[in-house]
Amino acid sequence: MPDELDHRHRMLVLAICCTSLLIVTLDNTVLNVALPTLQREFDTSVSGMQWTVDAYTLVLASLLMLAGSTADRIGRRKVFVAGLVIFTLGSALCSLAPSLELLVVFRMVQAVGGSMLNPVAMSIITNTFTDPRERARAIGVWGGVSGISLAAGPLVGGALVDSVGWRSIFLVNLPVGLAALVLTLRHVPESRAPKPRRADPVGQLLVIVLLGALTYAIIEAPRAGWTSPLILSAAGVAVLGLAGLLRYEPRRTEPLIELRFFRSAPFSGATVIAVCAFAALSGFLFLSTLYLQDVLGLDALHAGLWMLPIAAMALVCGPLSGRLVGSRGPRIPLLIAGVTMTASGVLFAAFDAAASDGTRLIGYVLFGLGFGFVNAPITNTAVSGMPRAQAGVAAAVASTSRQVGTTLGVAVIGAVLASGVTSSSYAKEFTRASRPGWWIIAGCGLAVLVLGAVTSGRWARETARRTAERLEEEPAGREVRSDR
């Protein structure tokens, strides 16, 4: 059992979980610097570039909660192993894609495997590190790896695109995935929830409908028109999907989304903070990549090198944030993250920081600092205080929030950029067209700041305590007549 593992074995399990996190989250952003290359090779538009990123994050966001609850039910290692196999296979297919359409499809295959890795790995960590202080530090390492892999994606991608070609971005996943598979089979113990939760196919379908329709409406709106019947219909479907979830899930005895978690102010705050922080990151990288390559004319490698300050700050600040969360709680890291991410967005939006090397560097350092501090408190808040039997579900909600944020960041900021371009070439109009996007990023940082302050105080902690007690005492769905 995980409780009986010695320190060395626990560290090995953490390393294996972080390896899976590395390749899954790296593929969130590694393709960013290849977007101009893909645009030229496949002759695609801004929306085509958005779909190569969002097809991956959308499927991740849609399936993470299903993967988390399934792992709690049938075995975490079993689902983790399946995820490694599918993700590695999807990576191989992406490297062979002959067209943009098939690349998008194969990215979705990748994401199916990825959805089985991150929340399940977090659940494994939560059940392996049972001491709260040790768990917070382990989650700090996890958060650091997540931040580094996301921020370093453009750097790694740039080096590979310029030296070998964009297909090598996916080939590097093969040896890492296979090594993680072998190590998992040898060293990761099996675990499952004492009281497994039943599948919720209707809830899963409603999540897919909601996220898919919303993302489609946002990405395609600049091309089709914001008031076109197609976009309005997609938006209507998204609203119906949300209404269906809110109506149906509380009636389930064992729902896909445990809405009672949201009675906890820290949990709800962490969920929204995750959406805002990762929307800011994905939008930041999307705008920066296009500006560096299409406006300044840099190649993929040099564009990736400009992202190095973000990765460096994430490397330094991630573990530091985890230690602060373990010793002082989540408030300080969240306030630091909110202030610096807001300052970075304002610097680009109001002062055109991208135009100068010096101010651009300052903006990147500030953003990297903020993003490095935000990961650990999100994850720790999401799983701390929740019953260990539902660790997979709680971790999956946190992971889903990240992916929803990543998807919406690219969709919304890409749509804002596309709406502001009036000519076939947006290089000359980029600065003006991208300014609203930078303001959105600043707004996301401000939301992190405000929510971090509000949901980390005494009142918020009391709501978390009461929620944890109710979850232990009340059977799911006790307030409803039946789920049949």
Side-chain angles (χ1 to χ4, degrees):
M1 294 297 293
D3 289 341
E4 300 169 353
L5 299 181
D6 60 26
H7 178 75
R8 182 177 178 182
H9 199 163
R10 291 197 300 273
M11 291 299 105
L12 180 58
V13 171
L14 176 62
I16 294 169
C17 290
C18 286
T19 300
S20 73
L21 171 71
L22 179 68
I23 56 176
V24 173
T25 53
L26 194 69
D27 274 55
N28 270 338
T29 58
V30 72
L31 202 60
N32 274 273
V33 292
L35 291 179
T37 302
L38 292 174
Q39 184 181 29
R40 291 190 295 269
E41 181 167 331
F42 295 128
D43 190 26
T44 187
S45 61
V46 172
S47 65
M49 291 187 287
Q50 287 172 275
W51 278 118
T52 60
V53 177
D54 272 357
Y56 181 80
T57 57
L58 179 60
V59 172
L60 276 177
S62 298
L63 299 181
L64 283 170
M65 284 178 287
L66 173 64
S69 59
T70 301
D72 281 348
R73 184 170 62 253
I74 70 172
R76 295 173 180 122
R77 188 180 77 158
K78 189 179 298 181
V79 173
F80 193 73
V81 166
L84 285 170
V85 171
I86 296 172
F87 182 86
T88 304
L89 175 62
S91 298
L93 292 173
C94 286
S95 70
L96 301 173
S99 65
L100 183 73
E101 291 76 15
L102 283 177
L103 177 60
V104 169
V105 171
F106 296 151
R107 287 277 281 170
M108 295 171 74
V109 174
Q110 248 194 326
V112 171
S115 70
M116 301 179 188
L117 297 179
N118 283 10
V120 179
M122 175 51 62
S123 183
I124 291 172
I125 290 172
T126 302
N127 282 270
T128 299
F129 294 87
T130 55
D131 176 73
R133 189 178 294 271
E134 191 178 33
R135 179 191 297 159
R137 290 176 178 172
I139 290 174
V141 174
W142 170 272
V145 172
S146 177
I148 292 164
S149 56
L150 282 167
L155 175 62
V156 174
L160 291 172
V161 169
D162 269 6
S163 60
V164 186
W166 67 266
R167 296 179 189 275
S168 62
I169 288 173
F170 303 104
L171 288 173
V172 296
N173 291 332
L174 305 188
V176 179
L178 292 173
L181 177 61
V182 172
L183 290 171
T184 299
L185 292 172
R186 292 189 60 182
H187 299 291
V188 175
E190 184 61 280
S191 64
R192 55 177 56 86
K195 297 179 181 179
R197 300 163 64 85
R198 291 183 296 173
D200 181 8
V202 175
Q204 180 60 59
L205 179 61
L206 289 170
V207 168
I208 294 172
V209 168
L210 167 61
L211 296 179
L214 179 61
T215 303
Y216 181 87
I218 295 171
I219 290 179
E220 297 298 329
R223 180 186 59 82
W226 290 93
T227 59
S228 68
L230 177 64
I231 300 305
L232 291 178
S233 297
V237 170
V239 171
L240 290 175
L242 176 60
L245 277 173
L246 296 177
R247 171 87 175 163
Y248 177 77
E249 288 299 278
R251 296 175 175 269
R252 287 279 301 176
T253 302
E254 294 173 340
L256 176 70
I257 304 175
E258 181 54 88
L259 297 180
R260 294 180 301 163
F261 285 173
F262 293 93
R263 295 173 180 172
S264 165
F267 183 88
S268 297
T271 301
V272 180
I273 287 170
V275 172
C276 293
F278 279 76
L281 174 69
S282 62
F284 191 99
L285 295 179
F286 189 80
L287 290 179
S288 295
T289 296
L290 296 180
Y291 181 84
L292 291 169
Q293 294 190 63
D294 290 340
V295 178
L296 296 187
L298 300 181
D299 57 29
L301 175 59
H302 287 88
L305 285 171
W306 268 104
M307 306 299 173
L308 187 58
I310 302 177
M313 295 309 297
L315 174 64
V316 173
C317 297
L320 176 59
S321 177
R323 289 185 175 274
L324 278 173
V325 172
S327 60
R328 303 286 297 275
R331 170 168 285 201
I332 293 176
L334 288 176
L335 295 182
I336 293 172
V339 169
T340 51
M341 292 174 76
T342 303
S344 177
V346 170
L347 197 62
F348 285 97
F351 301 101
D352 195 18
S356 165
D357 288 353
T359 53
R360 190 186 315 127
L361 178 61
I362 293 171
Y364 286 2
V365 168
L366 284 172
F367 191 87
L369 191 155
F371 187 74
F373 270 100
V374 83
N375 243 324
I378 289 173
T379 305
N380 190 71
T381 303
V383 300
S384 295
M386 296 297 172
R388 287 177 60 193
Q390 297 186 24
V393 179
V397 173
S399 296
T400 298
S401 302
R402 289 181 171 89
Q403 298 305 327
V404 168
T406 301
T407 302
L408 292 179
V410 173
V412 172
I413 291 177
V416 167
L417 177 65
S419 297
V421 173
T422 58
S423 63
S424 57
S425 175
Y426 59 79
K428 295 181 180 179
E429 300 179 330
F430 188 92
T431 299
R432 174 189 56 78
S434 65
R435 187 166 287 116
W438 290 115
W439 280 118
I440 292 173
I441 291 170
C444 288
L446 183 61
V448 171
L449 174 62
V450 173
L451 289 170
V454 171
T455 63
S456 60
R458 181 178 300 176
W459 163 79
R461 291 194 296 272
E462 182 61 21
T463 67
R465 184 190 63 79
R466 291 197 301 267
T467 299
E469 290 178 353
R470 290 171 180 169
L471 287 170
E472 292 283 9
E473 295 171 359
E474 300 174 2
R478 72 173 183 85
E479 300 144 322
V480 301
R481 293 168 299 184
S482 173
D483 69 335
R484 288 174 294 181

